[in-house]
Amino acid sequence: SIANFSPELQGFLFFAFALSFAIKIPVFPVHTWLPDAHTEAPTAGSVILAGVLLKMGTYGFIRFCIPFFPIVSLEYQGLIMTFCVIGIVYGALVAMVQKDGKKLIAYSSVSHLGFCLLGLMTFTEEGVLGGMIQMINHGVSTGMLFLMIGMIYERTHTRMIADYGGIAKIVPLFAVFFMIAMLSSVGLPGMNGFVGEFLVLLGTLKVNVILGIVAGTGVVWAACYLLWFTKRFLFGEITNKENELLSDLNAREIFVLVPMVVLIFWFGVYPQTFM
């Protein structure tokens, strides 16, 4: 049994596990590979990365790190939660200044994944439940955003936000789906993001009020960078004449996006199914 190991060995093993999972999630400060990976990956790669692969890290914490080393986990709870909160705010602030739409969503991933691990590390019922729900939510919301950036990239071959503007008039269906994905990522009540973030913040406030308050600002920052991004991307004047020839979503693309919209609202309106 692991309980028979010396405290030093338990500590070493915990850090070995925790570091590998932290890189996989990724948590600040070992997050630097993620934006580059997302930017270079094709659309399908980004969606699989956001939807499935990053969750291996948070799953590793809840399945291996915490059950194997409960005493060490409690000792370093504060440290890990602090890194999560730094990641939430830092990821959001860096997302705000991105010029590449895909890179912006990649940095928003760093911010959202901070919420997942923060919830798990509170060791409260609300926090752990919120963290696990947020793991699924992130896959749906961010996966949908990556899909939609991929769909528009297929048409224009550019991801720079400055190359767009005013396209809501030309591709209204695309704009509607994009707004749903964006608002779910912000955490609008009635959508999936709200449920997970609210539970995580409840759990965090029980453990550490200051960290809870700082993490709560992450929701505000998310609204700042996502709403500003959407304003420049979809609305305003048509700045690029080439965009006037864009075709709206076809049947195949709608078929891919509709199940995600269903999940977004199902989670938001009746999360009990998944709890």
mmCIF file of all heavy atoms in Angstrom, residues 71-114:
data_model
loop_
_atom_site.group_PDB
_atom_site.id
_atom_site.type_symbol
_atom_site.label_atom_id
_atom_site.label_comp_id
_atom_site.label_asym_id
_atom_site.label_seq_id
_atom_site.Cartn_x
_atom_site.Cartn_y
_atom_site.Cartn_z
ATOM 1 N N ILE A 71 -2.802 12.649 1.516
ATOM 2 C CA ILE A 71 -2.180 13.531 2.525
ATOM 3 C C ILE A 71 -1.347 14.603 1.826
ATOM 4 O O ILE A 71 -1.440 15.794 2.136
ATOM 5 C CB ILE A 71 -1.331 12.711 3.515
ATOM 6 C CG1 ILE A 71 -2.230 11.705 4.235
ATOM 7 C CG2 ILE A 71 -0.629 13.605 4.530
ATOM 8 C CD1 ILE A 71 -1.511 10.586 4.920
ATOM 9 N N VAL A 72 -0.542 14.168 0.842
ATOM 10 C CA VAL A 72 0.305 15.122 0.110
ATOM 11 C C VAL A 72 -0.574 16.092 -0.681
ATOM 12 O O VAL A 72 -0.289 17.287 -0.764
ATOM 13 C CB VAL A 72 1.277 14.385 -0.844
ATOM 14 C CG1 VAL A 72 2.341 15.348 -1.363
ATOM 15 C CG2 VAL A 72 1.944 13.219 -0.144
ATOM 16 N N SER A 73 -1.675 15.589 -1.251
ATOM 17 C CA SER A 73 -2.593 16.456 -2.006
ATOM 18 C C SER A 73 -3.111 17.585 -1.127
ATOM 19 O O SER A 73 -3.184 18.733 -1.557
ATOM 20 C CB SER A 73 -3.783 15.651 -2.534
ATOM 21 O OG SER A 73 -3.360 14.666 -3.432
ATOM 22 N N LEU A 74 -3.461 17.237 0.112
ATOM 23 C CA LEU A 74 -3.972 18.255 1.038
ATOM 24 C C LEU A 74 -2.894 19.270 1.393
ATOM 25 O O LEU A 74 -3.161 20.460 1.501
ATOM 26 C CB LEU A 74 -4.492 17.599 2.321
ATOM 27 C CG LEU A 74 -5.981 17.253 2.330
ATOM 28 C CD1 LEU A 74 -6.328 16.458 3.582
ATOM 29 C CD2 LEU A 74 -6.847 18.499 2.250
ATOM 30 N N GLU A 75 -1.643 18.766 1.558
ATOM 31 C CA GLU A 75 -0.528 19.665 1.908
ATOM 32 C C GLU A 75 -0.309 20.714 0.823
ATOM 33 O O GLU A 75 -0.028 21.876 1.117
ATOM 34 C CB GLU A 75 0.768 18.856 2.078
ATOM 35 C CG GLU A 75 0.951 18.275 3.472
ATOM 36 C CD GLU A 75 2.224 17.423 3.548
ATOM 37 O OE1 GLU A 75 3.215 17.777 2.873
ATOM 38 O OE2 GLU A 75 2.203 16.411 4.266
ATOM 39 N N TYR A 76 -0.406 20.288 -0.435
ATOM 40 C CA TYR A 76 -0.086 21.195 -1.546
ATOM 41 C C TYR A 76 -1.342 21.754 -2.215
ATOM 42 O O TYR A 76 -1.260 22.359 -3.282
ATOM 43 C CB TYR A 76 0.805 20.482 -2.580
ATOM 44 C CG TYR A 76 2.173 20.225 -2.022
ATOM 45 C CD1 TYR A 76 2.524 18.962 -1.560
ATOM 46 C CD2 TYR A 76 3.107 21.253 -1.914
ATOM 47 C CE1 TYR A 76 3.781 18.720 -1.016
ATOM 48 C CE2 TYR A 76 4.356 21.036 -1.370
ATOM 49 C CZ TYR A 76 4.698 19.754 -0.923
ATOM 50 O OH TYR A 76 5.930 19.529 -0.390
ATOM 51 N N GLN A 77 -2.476 21.568 -1.564
ATOM 52 C CA GLN A 77 -3.745 22.053 -2.112
ATOM 53 C C GLN A 77 -3.676 23.551 -2.433
ATOM 54 O O GLN A 77 -4.008 23.983 -3.531
ATOM 55 C CB GLN A 77 -4.869 21.780 -1.107
ATOM 56 C CG GLN A 77 -6.233 22.288 -1.544
ATOM 57 C CD GLN A 77 -7.260 22.236 -0.415
ATOM 58 O OE1 GLN A 77 -6.891 22.239 0.762
ATOM 59 N NE2 GLN A 77 -8.522 22.175 -0.770
ATOM 60 N N GLY A 78 -3.210 24.352 -1.459
ATOM 61 C CA GLY A 78 -3.152 25.805 -1.617
ATOM 62 C C GLY A 78 -2.281 26.226 -2.781
ATOM 63 O O GLY A 78 -2.644 27.119 -3.562
ATOM 64 N N LEU A 79 -1.121 25.548 -2.917
ATOM 65 C CA LEU A 79 -0.168 25.895 -3.986
ATOM 66 C C LEU A 79 -0.792 25.637 -5.359
ATOM 67 O O LEU A 79 -0.750 26.502 -6.253
ATOM 68 C CB LEU A 79 1.114 25.074 -3.818
ATOM 69 C CG LEU A 79 2.200 25.320 -4.864
ATOM 70 C CD1 LEU A 79 2.813 26.699 -4.686
ATOM 71 C CD2 LEU A 79 3.280 24.249 -4.789
ATOM 72 N N ILE A 80 -1.391 24.447 -5.516
ATOM 73 C CA ILE A 80 -1.962 24.089 -6.820
ATOM 74 C C ILE A 80 -3.143 25.012 -7.146
ATOM 75 O O ILE A 80 -3.287 25.486 -8.279
ATOM 76 C CB ILE A 80 -2.385 22.608 -6.846
ATOM 77 C CG1 ILE A 80 -1.147 21.716 -6.680
ATOM 78 C CG2 ILE A 80 -3.102 22.263 -8.150
ATOM 79 C CD1 ILE A 80 -1.446 20.242 -6.519
ATOM 80 N N MET A 81 -3.978 25.298 -6.125
ATOM 81 C CA MET A 81 -5.115 26.192 -6.364
ATOM 82 C C MET A 81 -4.638 27.586 -6.776
ATOM 83 O O MET A 81 -5.238 28.222 -7.645
ATOM 84 C CB MET A 81 -5.986 26.281 -5.109
ATOM 85 C CG MET A 81 -6.868 25.062 -4.892
ATOM 86 S SD MET A 81 -7.780 25.122 -3.333
ATOM 87 C CE MET A 81 -8.964 26.429 -3.650
ATOM 88 N N THR A 82 -3.542 28.042 -6.177
ATOM 89 C CA THR A 82 -3.003 29.363 -6.532
ATOM 90 C C THR A 82 -2.560 29.393 -7.989
ATOM 91 O O THR A 82 -2.858 30.342 -8.729
ATOM 92 C CB THR A 82 -1.819 29.721 -5.608
ATOM 93 O OG1 THR A 82 -2.266 29.638 -4.253
ATOM 94 C CG2 THR A 82 -1.306 31.120 -5.880
ATOM 95 N N PHE A 83 -1.858 28.324 -8.426
ATOM 96 C CA PHE A 83 -1.439 28.254 -9.836
ATOM 97 C C PHE A 83 -2.653 28.241 -10.770
ATOM 98 O O PHE A 83 -2.630 28.856 -11.838
ATOM 99 C CB PHE A 83 -0.576 27.012 -10.092
ATOM 100 C CG PHE A 83 0.871 27.197 -9.715
ATOM 101 C CD1 PHE A 83 1.555 26.240 -8.971
ATOM 102 C CD2 PHE A 83 1.567 28.334 -10.122
ATOM 103 C CE1 PHE A 83 2.882 26.416 -8.624
ATOM 104 C CE2 PHE A 83 2.910 28.517 -9.789
ATOM 105 C CZ PHE A 83 3.561 27.556 -9.037
ATOM 106 N N CYS A 84 -3.720 27.538 -10.351
ATOM 107 C CA CYS A 84 -4.943 27.494 -11.171
ATOM 108 C C CYS A 84 -5.521 28.900 -11.338
ATOM 109 O O CYS A 84 -5.910 29.291 -12.441
ATOM 110 C CB CYS A 84 -6.001 26.607 -10.524
ATOM 111 S SG CYS A 84 -5.574 24.872 -10.513
ATOM 112 N N VAL A 85 -5.582 29.634 -10.229
ATOM 113 C CA VAL A 85 -6.183 30.980 -10.269
ATOM 114 C C VAL A 85 -5.319 31.928 -11.108
ATOM 115 O O VAL A 85 -5.843 32.719 -11.899
ATOM 116 C CB VAL A 85 -6.400 31.517 -8.836
ATOM 117 C CG1 VAL A 85 -6.816 32.980 -8.864
ATOM 118 C CG2 VAL A 85 -7.465 30.692 -8.117
ATOM 119 N N ILE A 86 -3.993 31.815 -10.963
ATOM 120 C CA ILE A 86 -3.103 32.632 -11.804
ATOM 121 C C ILE A 86 -3.380 32.306 -13.274
ATOM 122 O O ILE A 86 -3.494 33.200 -14.118
ATOM 123 C CB ILE A 86 -1.618 32.379 -11.466
ATOM 124 C CG1 ILE A 86 -1.298 32.879 -10.048
ATOM 125 C CG2 ILE A 86 -0.703 33.072 -12.484
ATOM 126 C CD1 ILE A 86 0.086 32.476 -9.544
ATOM 127 N N GLY A 87 -3.514 31.005 -13.571
ATOM 128 C CA GLY A 87 -3.775 30.569 -14.952
ATOM 129 C C GLY A 87 -5.079 31.118 -15.492
ATOM 130 O O GLY A 87 -5.167 31.516 -16.656
ATOM 131 N N ILE A 88 -6.115 31.151 -14.627
ATOM 132 C CA ILE A 88 -7.431 31.656 -15.049
ATOM 133 C C ILE A 88 -7.317 33.116 -15.500
ATOM 134 O O ILE A 88 -7.780 33.492 -16.577
ATOM 135 C CB ILE A 88 -8.460 31.528 -13.902
ATOM 136 C CG1 ILE A 88 -8.823 30.057 -13.675
ATOM 137 C CG2 ILE A 88 -9.711 32.347 -14.192
ATOM 138 C CD1 ILE A 88 -9.633 29.804 -12.403
ATOM 139 N N VAL A 89 -6.654 33.935 -14.668
ATOM 140 C CA VAL A 89 -6.564 35.371 -14.965
ATOM 141 C C VAL A 89 -5.555 35.634 -16.082
ATOM 142 O O VAL A 89 -5.830 36.384 -17.029
ATOM 143 C CB VAL A 89 -6.185 36.160 -13.689
ATOM 144 C CG1 VAL A 89 -6.011 37.634 -13.993
ATOM 145 C CG2 VAL A 89 -7.261 35.962 -12.616
ATOM 146 N N TYR A 90 -4.413 34.970 -16.018
ATOM 147 C CA TYR A 90 -3.350 35.178 -17.009
ATOM 148 C C TYR A 90 -3.819 34.749 -18.403
ATOM 149 O O TYR A 90 -3.632 35.473 -19.392
ATOM 150 C CB TYR A 90 -2.107 34.385 -16.580
ATOM 151 C CG TYR A 90 -1.057 34.245 -17.644
ATOM 152 C CD1 TYR A 90 -0.111 35.245 -17.856
ATOM 153 C CD2 TYR A 90 -0.998 33.103 -18.443
ATOM 154 C CE1 TYR A 90 0.850 35.109 -18.841
ATOM 155 C CE2 TYR A 90 -0.043 32.960 -19.437
ATOM 156 C CZ TYR A 90 0.875 33.964 -19.624
ATOM 157 O OH TYR A 90 1.822 33.829 -20.609
ATOM 158 N N GLY A 91 -4.454 33.557 -18.479
ATOM 159 C CA GLY A 91 -4.932 33.061 -19.776
ATOM 160 C C GLY A 91 -5.908 34.040 -20.401
ATOM 161 O O GLY A 91 -5.880 34.297 -21.610
ATOM 162 N N ALA A 92 -6.779 34.611 -19.553
ATOM 163 C CA ALA A 92 -7.782 35.551 -20.048
ATOM 164 C C ALA A 92 -7.132 36.838 -20.543
ATOM 165 O O ALA A 92 -7.498 37.372 -21.602
ATOM 166 C CB ALA A 92 -8.792 35.850 -18.951
ATOM 167 N N LEU A 93 -6.167 37.349 -19.785
ATOM 168 C CA LEU A 93 -5.522 38.611 -20.170
ATOM 169 C C LEU A 93 -4.710 38.448 -21.453
ATOM 170 O O LEU A 93 -4.691 39.345 -22.305
ATOM 171 C CB LEU A 93 -4.627 39.115 -19.033
ATOM 172 C CG LEU A 93 -5.352 39.560 -17.755
ATOM 173 C CD1 LEU A 93 -4.354 39.950 -16.681
ATOM 174 C CD2 LEU A 93 -6.311 40.713 -18.022
ATOM 175 N N VAL A 94 -4.050 37.294 -21.607
ATOM 176 C CA VAL A 94 -3.261 37.074 -22.828
ATOM 177 C C VAL A 94 -4.202 36.863 -24.016
ATOM 178 O O VAL A 94 -3.920 37.304 -25.133
ATOM 179 C CB VAL A 94 -2.294 35.884 -22.654
ATOM 180 C CG1 VAL A 94 -1.516 35.637 -23.939
ATOM 181 C CG2 VAL A 94 -1.311 36.150 -21.512
ATOM 182 N N ALA A 95 -5.344 36.193 -23.774
ATOM 183 C CA ALA A 95 -6.314 35.992 -24.863
ATOM 184 C C ALA A 95 -6.789 37.327 -25.423
ATOM 185 O O ALA A 95 -7.021 37.463 -26.624
ATOM 186 C CB ALA A 95 -7.500 35.176 -24.344
ATOM 187 N N MET A 96 -6.896 38.306 -24.521
ATOM 188 C CA MET A 96 -7.461 39.600 -24.918
ATOM 189 C C MET A 96 -6.633 40.305 -25.991
ATOM 190 O O MET A 96 -7.180 41.053 -26.798
ATOM 191 C CB MET A 96 -7.564 40.480 -23.667
ATOM 192 C CG MET A 96 -8.735 41.412 -23.681
ATOM 193 S SD MET A 96 -8.883 42.322 -22.155
ATOM 194 C CE MET A 96 -9.454 41.097 -21.037
ATOM 195 N N VAL A 97 -5.332 40.064 -26.019
ATOM 196 C CA VAL A 97 -4.478 40.824 -26.951
ATOM 197 C C VAL A 97 -4.125 40.035 -28.210
ATOM 198 O O VAL A 97 -3.321 40.479 -29.017
ATOM 199 C CB VAL A 97 -3.178 41.297 -26.251
ATOM 200 C CG1 VAL A 97 -3.507 42.254 -25.125
ATOM 201 C CG2 VAL A 97 -2.363 40.110 -25.733
ATOM 202 N N GLN A 98 -4.736 38.850 -28.398
ATOM 203 C CA GLN A 98 -4.391 38.043 -29.573
ATOM 204 C C GLN A 98 -4.984 38.626 -30.849
ATOM 205 O O GLN A 98 -6.091 39.145 -30.851
ATOM 206 C CB GLN A 98 -4.888 36.595 -29.393
ATOM 207 C CG GLN A 98 -4.214 35.843 -28.268
ATOM 208 C CD GLN A 98 -2.716 35.861 -28.358
ATOM 209 O OE1 GLN A 98 -2.123 35.641 -29.419
ATOM 210 N NE2 GLN A 98 -2.070 36.141 -27.235
ATOM 211 N N LYS A 99 -4.210 38.507 -31.922
ATOM 212 C CA LYS A 99 -4.691 38.971 -33.230
ATOM 213 C C LYS A 99 -5.221 37.803 -34.071
ATOM 214 O O LYS A 99 -5.953 37.993 -35.026
ATOM 215 C CB LYS A 99 -3.557 39.671 -33.979
ATOM 216 C CG LYS A 99 -3.126 40.985 -33.322
ATOM 217 C CD LYS A 99 -1.994 41.639 -34.102
ATOM 218 C CE LYS A 99 -1.709 43.051 -33.615
ATOM 219 N NZ LYS A 99 -1.286 43.102 -32.198
ATOM 220 N N ASP A 100 -4.807 36.581 -33.700
ATOM 221 C CA ASP A 100 -5.201 35.354 -34.404
ATOM 222 C C ASP A 100 -6.368 34.728 -33.638
ATOM 223 O O ASP A 100 -6.254 34.441 -32.449
ATOM 224 C CB ASP A 100 -3.985 34.414 -34.445
ATOM 225 C CG ASP A 100 -4.275 33.076 -35.101
ATOM 226 O OD1 ASP A 100 -5.425 32.600 -35.009
ATOM 227 O OD2 ASP A 100 -3.353 32.490 -35.692
ATOM 228 N N GLY A 101 -7.512 34.537 -34.318
ATOM 229 C CA GLY A 101 -8.708 34.024 -33.652
ATOM 230 C C GLY A 101 -8.498 32.680 -32.976
ATOM 231 O O GLY A 101 -9.001 32.436 -31.875
ATOM 232 N N LYS A 102 -7.731 31.805 -33.634
ATOM 233 C CA LYS A 102 -7.535 30.467 -33.068
ATOM 234 C C LYS A 102 -6.661 30.531 -31.818
ATOM 235 O O LYS A 102 -6.882 29.807 -30.851
ATOM 236 C CB LYS A 102 -6.899 29.558 -34.120
ATOM 237 C CG LYS A 102 -7.195 28.080 -33.871
ATOM 238 C CD LYS A 102 -6.769 27.240 -35.040
ATOM 239 C CE LYS A 102 -7.140 25.787 -34.788
ATOM 240 N NZ LYS A 102 -6.561 24.903 -35.794
ATOM 241 N N LYS A 103 -5.665 31.423 -31.846
ATOM 242 C CA LYS A 103 -4.784 31.561 -30.689
ATOM 243 C C LYS A 103 -5.561 32.149 -29.509
ATOM 244 O O LYS A 103 -5.325 31.797 -28.355
ATOM 245 C CB LYS A 103 -3.597 32.467 -31.047
ATOM 246 C CG LYS A 103 -2.311 32.013 -30.385
ATOM 247 C CD LYS A 103 -1.087 32.642 -31.002
ATOM 248 C CE LYS A 103 0.136 31.869 -30.521
ATOM 249 N NZ LYS A 103 1.346 32.299 -31.179
ATOM 250 N N LEU A 104 -6.506 33.043 -29.792
ATOM 251 C CA LEU A 104 -7.339 33.621 -28.740
ATOM 252 C C LEU A 104 -8.122 32.520 -28.029
ATOM 253 O O LEU A 104 -8.167 32.461 -26.795
ATOM 254 C CB LEU A 104 -8.290 34.652 -29.357
ATOM 255 C CG LEU A 104 -9.184 35.427 -28.374
ATOM 256 C CD1 LEU A 104 -9.347 36.858 -28.855
ATOM 257 C CD2 LEU A 104 -10.539 34.798 -28.184
ATOM 258 N N ILE A 105 -8.707 31.604 -28.805
ATOM 259 C CA ILE A 105 -9.485 30.523 -28.187
ATOM 260 C C ILE A 105 -8.549 29.569 -27.439
ATOM 261 O O ILE A 105 -8.914 29.022 -26.399
ATOM 262 C CB ILE A 105 -10.320 29.788 -29.261
ATOM 263 C CG1 ILE A 105 -11.291 30.771 -29.911
ATOM 264 C CG2 ILE A 105 -11.104 28.637 -28.647
ATOM 265 C CD1 ILE A 105 -11.918 30.264 -31.179
ATOM 266 N N ALA A 106 -7.330 29.385 -27.955
ATOM 267 C CA ALA A 106 -6.362 28.519 -27.263
ATOM 268 C C ALA A 106 -6.020 29.088 -25.886
ATOM 269 O O ALA A 106 -5.954 28.349 -24.896
ATOM 270 C CB ALA A 106 -5.102 28.370 -28.108
ATOM 271 N N TYR A 107 -5.800 30.400 -25.788
ATOM 272 C CA TYR A 107 -5.504 31.003 -24.479
ATOM 273 C C TYR A 107 -6.735 30.985 -23.575
ATOM 274 O O TYR A 107 -6.616 30.876 -22.358
ATOM 275 C CB TYR A 107 -4.952 32.423 -24.640
ATOM 276 C CG TYR A 107 -3.459 32.445 -24.849
ATOM 277 C CD1 TYR A 107 -2.902 32.727 -26.092
ATOM 278 C CD2 TYR A 107 -2.594 32.146 -23.792
ATOM 279 C CE1 TYR A 107 -1.526 32.712 -26.281
ATOM 280 C CE2 TYR A 107 -1.220 32.126 -23.966
ATOM 281 C CZ TYR A 107 -0.691 32.415 -25.224
ATOM 282 O OH TYR A 107 0.668 32.381 -25.399
ATOM 283 N N SER A 108 -7.927 31.053 -24.181
ATOM 284 C CA SER A 108 -9.132 30.943 -23.352
ATOM 285 C C SER A 108 -9.218 29.538 -22.757
ATOM 286 O O SER A 108 -9.756 29.348 -21.668
ATOM 287 C CB SER A 108 -10.382 31.273 -24.170
ATOM 288 O OG SER A 108 -10.833 30.153 -24.890
ATOM 289 N N SER A 109 -8.669 28.547 -23.477
ATOM 290 C CA SER A 109 -8.597 27.176 -22.947
ATOM 291 C C SER A 109 -7.773 27.122 -21.672
ATOM 292 O O SER A 109 -8.142 26.438 -20.715
ATOM 293 C CB SER A 109 -7.946 26.242 -23.970
ATOM 294 O OG SER A 109 -8.899 25.691 -24.820
ATOM 295 N N VAL A 110 -6.632 27.814 -21.677
ATOM 296 C CA VAL A 110 -5.769 27.844 -20.478
ATOM 297 C C VAL A 110 -6.575 28.375 -19.301
ATOM 298 O O VAL A 110 -6.534 27.851 -18.185
ATOM 299 C CB VAL A 110 -4.515 28.719 -20.719
ATOM 300 C CG1 VAL A 110 -3.680 28.836 -19.441
ATOM 301 C CG2 VAL A 110 -3.672 28.151 -21.854
ATOM 302 N N SER A 111 -7.362 29.430 -19.565
ATOM 303 C CA SER A 111 -8.177 30.042 -18.523
ATOM 304 C C SER A 111 -9.264 29.089 -18.033
ATOM 305 O O SER A 111 -9.441 28.882 -16.831
ATOM 306 C CB SER A 111 -8.795 31.330 -19.072
ATOM 307 O OG SER A 111 -9.489 32.018 -18.077
ATOM 308 N N HIS A 112 -9.974 28.450 -18.965
ATOM 309 C CA HIS A 112 -11.079 27.576 -18.583
ATOM 310 C C HIS A 112 -10.601 26.303 -17.881
ATOM 311 O O HIS A 112 -11.271 25.800 -16.980
ATOM 312 C CB HIS A 112 -11.908 27.215 -19.817
ATOM 313 C CG HIS A 112 -12.798 28.327 -20.271
ATOM 314 N ND1 HIS A 112 -12.593 29.020 -21.436
ATOM 315 C CD2 HIS A 112 -13.882 28.892 -19.701
ATOM 316 C CE1 HIS A 112 -13.516 29.960 -21.558
ATOM 317 N NE2 HIS A 112 -14.306 29.905 -20.525
ATOM 318 N N LEU A 113 -9.447 25.786 -18.313
ATOM 319 C CA LEU A 113 -8.948 24.556 -17.685
ATOM 320 C C LEU A 113 -8.467 24.826 -16.266
ATOM 321 O O LEU A 113 -8.464 23.926 -15.428
ATOM 322 C CB LEU A 113 -7.847 23.936 -18.548
ATOM 323 C CG LEU A 113 -8.405 23.292 -19.824
ATOM 324 C CD1 LEU A 113 -7.342 23.187 -20.895
ATOM 325 C CD2 LEU A 113 -8.997 21.928 -19.543
ATOM 326 N N GLY A 114 -8.087 26.086 -15.994
ATOM 327 C CA GLY A 114 -7.766 26.459 -14.610
ATOM 328 C C GLY A 114 -8.969 26.226 -13.696
ATOM 329 O O GLY A 114 -8.828 25.742 -12.572
#
